[in-house]
Amino acid sequence: MQKITLITGASRGIGAACARRLAADGDLVIINYHHSAEAAQKLAEEIGGIALCADVSDQTACEAMVQTVLKQFGRIDALVCNAGVAAAGLFQCMEEQTIQRLYGINLFGVRNVIAAALPSMIQQQNGAIVTVSSIWGEVGASCEADYSASKAAVIGLTKALAKEVAPSGIRVNCITPGVIDTEMNDNLDEDAKAALCEEIPLGRMGRAEEVAAAVRFLLSDEASYITGQILGVGGGF
């Protein structure tokens, strides 16, 4: 039976790489996006998926998106909570609007989508969820305190929820990407990227496809006895 997989923030970067990888493995992929309609539609056509617009920081929008999927396909087998934003700056200088956006998307966006999809997974007594945190959620990053905190909270949510829903046959795991060569890191100049690469044992930035491979594993039957785990994809950083 073809798996129905919903990926948030899937129009580009890690999310798009996950969409391509899972579609190549036979999943029917629902590509969630907020602003990047053209990119999402193009990707949906490429992989034979469906693009759905929803702001993950809006609980009502997430519920509507999930209900659209359930009405059309009857179930959601897998969920990848990938949508995220970054912002750098001194802790005491961060603007309130930026702070609210960081937590609204990075943390509450994860919670909103899971809360919307979970009842159907519990009813079918099956499902796999992968959240996407960050290496900074594990170790913290200077001048990214709120970003690090929002991603650290995702790790805590993953571990706790995994224990709560395991009796219902649902697995919840987390990926913590390191420095990945995506648009999120376009703010770094070449010197900054080179400096980061010197700190990475494998000596280079990661590729979105490498993160997607880890996500694919955690969603697959090969990981059927793995839940509540945090898998770093960071080149040993």
Side-chain angles (χ1 to χ4, degrees), residues 11-12 31-42 51 53 183:
S11 64
R12 57 187 179 178
I31 299 161
N32 159 255
Y33 70 95
H34 188 201
H35 299 296
S36 305
E38 184 177 351
Q41 293 293 346
K42 184 177 180 180
C53 180
E183 290 181 31

Side-chain angles (χ1 to χ4, degrees), residues 18 45 54 75 85 89 107 137 162 177 181 220 226:
C18 289
E45 293 173 6
R75 69 187 195 282
V85 292
L107 173 57
D181 190 10
S220 74
I226 298 174

Side-chain angles (χ1 to χ4, degrees), residues 117-187:
L118 201 55
S120 66
M121 287 186 172
I122 292 173
Q123 185 175 17
Q124 67 196 31
Q125 292 287 288
N126 184 56
I129 300 170
V130 171
T131 61
V132 180
S133 177
S134 166
I135 185 66
W136 305 132
E138 295 188 276
V139 304
S142 176
C143 294
E144 292 190 69
D146 287 298
Y147 175 78
S148 299
S150 68
K151 290 297 190 176
V154 170
I155 293 173
L157 174 63
T158 299
K159 289 182 175 181
L161 187 62
K163 294 180 178 179
E164 184 173 328
V165 300
S168 296
I170 300 164
R171 298 184 299 104
V172 191
N173 291 290
C174 180
I175 294 286
T176 56
V179 184
I180 308 299
D181 190 10
T182 65
E183 290 181 31
M184 186 173 283
N185 287 316
D186 281 350
N187 62 306

